[in-house]
């Protein structure tokens, strides 16, 4: 028994000594943290108490702590109550606050629901709930060549990938070619817009830019003069003949690009129009002929171009982002101005990677500043070292991108409403585009083309042994492309969506959706864990709305065009719908009768039908409608310039439509699924209406109800 007593006594002594050390450390920590600032005079009683505490024995530690606690309560100016027994202890070096209740014996009991900092506690609890939300799901079954970069991006974001698809809906669908890669998507987000592939073909892009050049010739001088073959072949011959008659020494060079070509396939240079290859068997070749830029900027005596990645995050309201980093692709043969001898030297004149990679001079490099493919920043740094104003160059490139997007958006809206008309379930859309830009010797950027499916491959083919090729990683591609895809996904994270819904005007003057900044995106992304870099995508629109919004005239014309389309899914305006447009906007008079309207419709439609033989439908397309609209403006406002004529006619038509409450919008086009005007905002009290499908169903039902209340004569005039 005595041995057991000795053991117990030793254990109690050890526990007591350990407790004394811990208490002493805790008191020292409290003294250091709770000491008053220099600007406040210390309480002498506090120092006396501290001195007494240091000199006391372990028998009186409990009392000294009790007195110190009482002094602390009185110094805070609190009256004795249940709440004044709570105290706050700050742990040094951690920034944490312990809040508890003090008992009569001087011990602290932690409170589970502190009365102070309730808002901070709720914020922390909300953040924990956000971190526990389900991961974003991505369907990558149709990703194709961008799969490896996409996998890396999803892994960095800690999202969930479905490489074989999924029976239930995913948050994001990543398509490799077009919007129609998967026809069964009715919700979520798709990385392709309907009609983008068709819109960015060489001919359609040239037509869209040409329309803008007619309205804004100075603003759209970044695109080379172009002719569409075969329909404009005679015009091409006539203009070349006129140039040579004016100056016999001038011998311009032209570059021919097949309409559906890609990766440099089928591109060639000519100096004589007779060298044009107009026929492919028994069919005429669809192509674009452009003026060749004979004086490009050179680096190391080599011609190069810029591949810049642009994200269209939304079309309504228009949101455009530009990647801060891009690629530069170099030719592999020193540049010389074109002559009859070197026209066929593709490695000298064409910058396409898919062509130059087969050259014996192509250099694969792991460095970002050397080789035949380099980062854009390395080239800009090199130009800056030579005194080039890089800010000015970058500003010109941003302007080029915004203006080009503004040129193609009107037609894209027509494609979109045809594939996903209001009332039909469908996803929202976003897309990464590849802009190919050439810098001239005077540093002016020139648009070469826009790719709807830019290569996102992060490996390249390399000969590892004689006759043996395999794909090896490309550090330069991975550095640029993975960042673009990853940050595109971050911007499209459904967890970052705001519930602000509005219907912007056709001109894009109003923007109801709030745009998260780079810092907000990082703070609000619960999956990054603070380890992801800052966004590599920079918002340029609507950031620069004031500078470029006046260019969106054709978009307002497209809004009128879509408004009078009669049948859902239609992309062409029938004769009845065109007459309804004229009658509704009151554009006919004694000098311009409805018979003249019919003749105008037939003439323009017939001419454009020959220009677009592969069109899916008969009738008047948007480009033909723009031509008819310009004709009507010139007829009504003869004394004004072309742009003022169009603006005046637009204002007239929009005023007529606003003054007629019986005429409702025929369509509601929004890739962000904004709330149609006909839907009552009261319905937003139901959370389910924030999803796209119920909004469209509500809009469709409301539209049908309004149509039933309209006079039958109006319906007969509007519908085709």
């Amino acid at each position: 028994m005595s041995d057991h007593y000795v053991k117990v006594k030793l254990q109690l002594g050890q526990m007591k000594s350990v407790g004394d050390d811990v208490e002493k450390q805790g008191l020292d920590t409290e003294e250091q943290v709770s000491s008053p600032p220099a600007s406040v005079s210390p309480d002498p009683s506090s120092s006396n108490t501290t001195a007494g505490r240091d000199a006391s024995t372990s028998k009186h530690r409990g009392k000294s702590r009790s007195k110190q606690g009482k002094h602390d309560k009185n110094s805070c100016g609190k009256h004795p109550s249940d709440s004044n027994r709570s105290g706050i202890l700050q742990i040094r070096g951690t920034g944490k606050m312990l809040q508890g209740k003090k008992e009569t014996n001087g011990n602290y009991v932690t409170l589970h629901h502190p009365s102070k900092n309730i808002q901070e506690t709720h914020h922390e609890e909300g953040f924990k709930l956000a971190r526990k939300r389900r991961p974003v799901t991505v369907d990558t079954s149709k990703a194709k060549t961008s799969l490896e970069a996409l996998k890396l991006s999803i892994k960095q974001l800690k999202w969930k990938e479905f490489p074989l698809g999924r029976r239930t809906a995913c948050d994001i669908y990543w398509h490799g070619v077009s919007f129609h890669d998967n026809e069964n998507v009715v919700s979520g987000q798709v990385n392709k817009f309907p009609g983008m592939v068709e819109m960015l073909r060489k001919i359609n892009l040239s037509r869209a830019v040409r329309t803008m050049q007619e309205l804004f010739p100075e603003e759209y001088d970044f695109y080379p003069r172009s002719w569409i073959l075969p329909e404009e072949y005679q015009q091409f011959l006539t203009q070349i003949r006129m140039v040579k008659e004016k100056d016999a020494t001038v011998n311009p060079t032209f570059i021919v690009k097949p309409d559906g070509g890609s990766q440099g396939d089928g591109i060639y240079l000519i100096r004589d129009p007779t060298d044009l290859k107009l026929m492919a068997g028994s069919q005429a070749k669809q192509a674009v002929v452009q003026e060749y830029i004979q004086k490009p900027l050179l680096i190391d005596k080599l011609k190069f171009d810029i591949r810049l990645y642009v994200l269209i995050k939304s079309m309504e309201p228009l949101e455009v982002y530009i990647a801060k980093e891009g690629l530069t692709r170099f030719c592999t043969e020193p540049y010389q101005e074109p002559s009859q001898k070197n026209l066929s030297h593709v490695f000298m004149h064409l910058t396409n990677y898919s062509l130059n990679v087969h050259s014996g001079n192509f250099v694969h490099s792991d460095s970002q500043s050397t080789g035949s493919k380099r980062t854009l920043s390395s080239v800009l740094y090199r130009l800056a070292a030579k005194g080039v104003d890089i800010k000015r160059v970058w500003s010109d490139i941003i302007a080029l991108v915004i203006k080009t997007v503004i040129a193609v958006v009107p037609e894209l809206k027509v494609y979109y409403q045809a594939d996903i008309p209001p009332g039909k379930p469908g996803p929202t859309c976003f897309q990464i585009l590849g802009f190919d830009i050439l810098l001239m010797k005077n540093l002016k950027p020139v648009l070469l083309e826009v790719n709807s499916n830019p290569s996102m491959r992060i490996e390249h083919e390399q000969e590892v042994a004689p006759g043996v090729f395999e794909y090896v990683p490309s550090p330069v591609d991975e550095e640029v492309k993975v960042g673009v895809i990853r940050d595109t996904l971050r911007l499209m994270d459904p967890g970052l969506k705001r519930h602000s819904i509005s219907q912007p005007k056709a001109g894009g003057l109003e923007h109801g959706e709030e745009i998260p900044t780079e810092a907000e995106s990082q703070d609000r992304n619960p999956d990054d864990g603070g380890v992801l870099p800052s966004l590599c995508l920079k918002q340029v629109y609507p950031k620069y709305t004031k500078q470029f919004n006046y260019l969106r005239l054709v978009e307002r014309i497209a809004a009128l065009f879509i408004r009078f389309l009669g049948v859902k899914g239609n992309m062409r305006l029938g004769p009845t719908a065109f007459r309804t447009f004229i009658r509704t906007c009151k554009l006919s008079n004694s000098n311009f009768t409805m018979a003249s309207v019919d003749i105008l419709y037939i003439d323009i439609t017939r001419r454009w039908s020959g220009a677009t033989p592969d069109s899916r439908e008969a009738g008047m397309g948007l480009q033909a409608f723009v031509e008819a609209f310009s004709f009507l403006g010139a007829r009504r406002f003869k004394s004004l310039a072309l742009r003022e004529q169009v603006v005046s006619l637009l204002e007239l038509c929009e005023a007529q439509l606003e003054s007629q409450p019986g005429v409702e919008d025929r369509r509601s086009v929004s890739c962000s699924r904004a709330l149609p005007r006909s839907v009552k905002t009261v319905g937003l009290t139901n959370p389910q209406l924030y999803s796209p499908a119920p909004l469209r169903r509500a809009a469709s039902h409301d539209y049908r109800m309004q149509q039933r209340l309209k006079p039958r004569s109006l319906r007969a005039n509007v519908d085709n």
Side-chain angles (χ1 to χ4, degrees):
M1 177 68 88
S2 60
D3 294 339
H4 177 71
Y5 176 77
V6 172
K7 291 181 180 179
V8 172
K9 188 175 182 181
L10 289 174
Q11 292 176 359
L12 290 173
Q14 293 175 357
M15 293 172 63
K16 186 176 181 181
S17 62
V18 171
D20 293 342
D21 294 339
V22 171
E23 288 178 352
K24 187 175 180 180
Q25 293 176 2
L27 291 172
D28 293 341
T29 302
E30 187 176 1
E31 290 174 23
Q32 295 174 6
V33 173
S34 62
S35 59
S39 60
V40 180
S41 60
D43 190 347
S45 63
S46 176
S47 59
N48 293 338
T49 306
T50 305
R53 184 166 60 243
D54 292 338
S56 63
T57 60
S58 61
K59 185 181 296 184
H60 302 91
R61 286 184 188 273
K63 294 182 179 180
S64 64
R65 284 199 305 272
S66 178
K67 291 179 180 179
Q68 178 67 19
K70 183 178 180 181
H71 166 73
D72 291 340
K73 288 185 288 183
N74 293 335
S75 64
C76 292
K78 295 181 180 179
H79 299 285
S81 63
D82 293 339
S83 62
N84 67 5
R85 292 186 179 182
S86 62
I88 298 176
L89 177 64
Q90 182 174 356
I91 302 177
R92 188 182 183 189
T94 64
K96 296 182 179 179
M97 304 290 290
L98 289 180
Q99 189 165 359
K101 184 177 181 182
K102 192 170 183 180
E103 294 184 336
T104 55
N105 61 0
N107 294 329
Y108 279 89
V109 179
T110 303
L111 295 177
H112 296 287
H113 300 283
S115 59
K116 276 182 99 174
N117 301 329
I118 295 178
Q119 294 181 351
E120 296 179 3
T121 304
H122 289 174
H123 176 73
E124 292 176 0
E125 292 176 354
F127 183 73
K128 290 179 181 178
L129 290 174
R131 293 186 65 87
K132 292 180 181 179
R133 71 179 178 92
R134 67 174 182 83
V136 179
T137 56
V138 184
D139 185 334
T140 63
S141 59
K142 305 292 184 180
K144 297 189 177 180
T145 58
S146 61
L147 184 59
E148 293 303 320
L150 183 59
K151 285 180 176 291
L152 287 176
S153 301
I154 295 173
K155 185 176 181 181
Q156 291 179 13
L157 295 173
K158 299 179 182 178
W159 291 2
K160 193 168 184 180
E161 177 194 1
F162 288 87
L164 301 179
R166 188 187 187 193
R167 288 186 178 180
T168 57
C170 284
D171 296 310
I172 296 176
Y173 295 84
W174 198 275
H175 292 179
V177 178
S178 74
F179 174 82
H180 297 286
D181 286 355
N182 186 349
E183 298 285 358
N184 299 320
V185 179
V186 295
S187 64
Q189 303 175 87
V190 177
N191 71 315
K192 302 292 182 184
F193 279 100
M196 187 68 81
V197 174
E198 294 82 0
M199 190 59 222
L200 294 183
R201 292 168 73 100
K202 309 294 190 302
I203 290 179
N204 288 335
L205 177 62
S206 296
R207 283 184 175 138
V209 176
R210 181 186 296 176
T211 299
M212 299 302 293
Q213 286 176 334
E214 293 174 355
L215 294 170
F216 306 96
E218 295 180 358
E219 288 85 345
Y220 281 84
D221 62 347
F222 56 81
Y223 194 69
R225 189 166 51 165
S226 307
W227 295 267
I228 298 171
L229 299 180
E231 63 184 271
E232 297 178 352
Y233 176 69
Q234 292 299 327
Q235 299 177 23
F236 176 60
L237 293 179
T238 302
Q239 292 189 14
I240 292 179
R241 185 173 63 252
M242 292 174 60
V243 169
K244 291 186 176 181
E245 289 176 355
K246 187 175 181 180
D247 188 349
T249 61
V250 175
N251 194 10
T253 303
F254 302 92
I255 184 169
V256 184
K257 302 177 181 179
D259 181 42
S262 62
Q263 299 181 341
D265 183 34
I267 298 178
Y268 60 97
L269 273 62
I270 63 169
R271 306 194 85 180
D272 190 337
T274 59
D275 294 333
L276 280 172
K277 304 170 185 177
L278 295 177
M279 302 299 293
S282 59
Q283 294 183 346
K285 277 189 175 182
Q286 297 283 321
V288 170
V289 182
Q290 291 181 330
E291 287 183 321
Y292 182 75
I293 307 300
Q294 301 193 33
K295 295 185 181 296
L297 180 67
L298 304 180
I299 291 182
D300 299 330
K301 299 182 180 180
L302 298 174
K303 180 181 176 181
F304 70 95
D305 75 345
I306 298 170
R307 165 58 62 85
L308 195 62
Y309 296 98
V310 175
L311 167 66
I312 300 182
K313 182 175 181 287
S314 169
M315 199 156 53
E316 192 74 76
L318 183 60
E319 292 184 48
V320 183
Y321 290 76
I322 294 181
K324 300 175 184 177
E325 185 63 286
L327 296 172
T328 51
R329 292 93 54 89
F330 284 76
C331 289
T332 51
E333 186 176 334
Y335 180 78
Q336 298 176 4
E337 288 195 19
S339 63
Q340 200 63 37
K341 294 181 180 180
N342 63 28
L343 283 181
S344 60
H345 293 198
V346 293
F347 299 145
M348 175 189 296
H349 296 292
L350 303 184
T351 56
N352 302 75
Y353 166 79
S354 55
L355 295 177
N356 284 278
V357 72
H358 299 293
S359 169
N361 298 326
F362 191 92
V363 178
H364 290 287
S365 176
D366 292 341
S367 172
Q368 298 182 5
S369 57
T370 60
S372 297
K373 183 185 287 188
R374 312 174 192 177
T375 60
L376 173 59
S377 59
S378 67
V379 171
L380 294 179
Y381 289 147
R382 186 165 176 177
L383 295 177
K386 295 181 179 180
V388 174
D389 187 357
I390 297 304
K391 290 185 178 179
R392 176 64 182 273
V393 173
W394 190 244
S395 176
D396 291 342
I397 291 176
I398 290 175
L400 179 151
V401 169
I402 295 175
K403 292 173 183 177
T404 304
V405 172
I406 288 176
V408 301
V409 160
E411 194 88 40
L412 285 175
K413 288 188 174 182
V414 177
Y415 276 102
Y416 189 87
Q417 63 82 35
D419 279 282
I420 312 178
K424 175 183 176 182
T428 57
C429 306
F430 65 96
Q431 189 156 350
I432 299 173
L433 306 178
F435 277 65
D436 291 346
I437 300 170
L438 181 73
L439 290 179
M440 297 177 63
K441 192 174 183 178
N442 60 1
L443 299 176
K444 177 183 177 180
V446 175
L447 178 65
L448 300 180
E449 63 178 334
V450 184
N451 296 273
S452 60
N453 296 307
S455 172
M456 287 296 177
R457 190 183 291 275
I458 58 175
E459 64 277 342
H460 60 80
E461 194 177 43
Q462 187 171 349
E463 189 174 11
V464 295
V468 179
F469 294 86
E470 69 178 15
Y471 283 102
V472 297
S474 173
V476 176
D477 287 298
E478 183 173 338
E479 173 70 21
V480 176
K481 297 175 182 179
V482 172
V484 170
I485 293 179
R486 179 195 64 226
D487 291 346
T488 294
L489 293 174
R490 290 167 72 184
L491 286 171
M492 302 310 301
D493 183 353
L496 301 183
K497 292 291 184 182
R498 303 280 183 91
H499 294 303
S500 175
I501 300 180
S502 68
Q503 180 70 26
K505 292 183 179 180
L509 297 176
E510 299 175 359
H511 304 280
E513 185 176 355
E514 298 181 30
I515 311 298
T517 61
E518 297 178 9
E520 289 176 337
S521 298
Q522 290 178 349
D523 294 341
R524 292 163 54 203
N525 191 341
D527 295 326
D528 61 10
V531 298
L532 292 177
S534 61
L535 287 172
C536 71
L537 297 171
K538 173 185 178 181
Q539 186 193 95
V540 295
Y541 203 92
K543 182 177 181 180
Y544 301 122
T545 299
K546 293 182 179 179
Q547 293 92 322
F548 299 99
N549 200 62
Y550 73 98
L551 299 173
R552 302 177 72 176
L553 287 182
V554 180
E555 198 169 340
R556 292 167 64 186
I557 298 176
L560 293 175
F561 176 80
I562 294 171
R563 186 169 188 149
F564 287 95
L565 286 174
V567 181
K568 290 184 178 181
N570 195 6
M571 293 181 60
R572 303 273 172 165
L573 207 64
T576 305
F578 187 72
R579 289 169 61 93
T580 303
F581 158 70
I582 297 293
R583 186 181 297 109
T584 304
C585 296
K586 299 182 179 179
L587 300 181
S588 61
N589 51 42
S590 58
N591 296 325
F592 187 65
T593 63
M594 295 308 294
S596 301
V597 171
D598 293 337
I599 294 173
L600 174 65
Y601 176 87
I602 294 171
D603 288 345
I604 293 180
T605 303
R606 185 176 297 169
R607 183 166 62 254
W608 279 91
S609 297
T612 55
D614 57 343
S615 60
R616 296 182 294 179
E617 306 164 4
M620 178 180 284
L622 177 61
Q623 289 294 329
F625 182 76
V626 171
E627 180 183 334
F629 196 86
S630 300
F631 174 84
L632 294 171
R635 185 180 183 88
R636 195 174 188 93
F637 306 98
K638 297 180 181 180
S639 61
L640 301 178
L642 175 61
R643 187 193 311 174
E644 284 71 25
Q645 291 172 351
V646 172
V647 172
S648 300
L649 187 60
L650 270 172
E651 292 174 350
L652 174 63
C653 293
E654 291 168 351
Q656 290 293 340
L657 292 174
E658 290 177 0
S659 65
Q660 300 181 31
V663 180
E664 299 292 337
D665 286 345
R666 299 290 302 175
R667 302 295 173 92
S668 175
V669 180
S670 171
C671 285
S672 292
R673 286 305 177 196
L675 180 65
R677 294 179 183 175
S678 57
V679 180
K680 301 293 184 180
T681 55
V682 178
L684 295 180
T685 56
N686 185 354
Q688 293 181 351
L689 286 182
Y690 282 116
S691 59
L695 276 177
R696 282 188 290 276
R697 286 194 293 268
S700 178
H701 175 72
D702 191 70
Y703 173 78
R704 289 194 298 268
M705 291 296 295
Q706 290 181 358
Q707 288 298 313
R708 292 173 185 173
L709 297 176
K710 287 183 182 180
R712 291 183 177 272
S713 59
L714 179 61
R715 294 182 62 185
N717 289 333
V718 173
D719 294 336
N720 285 329

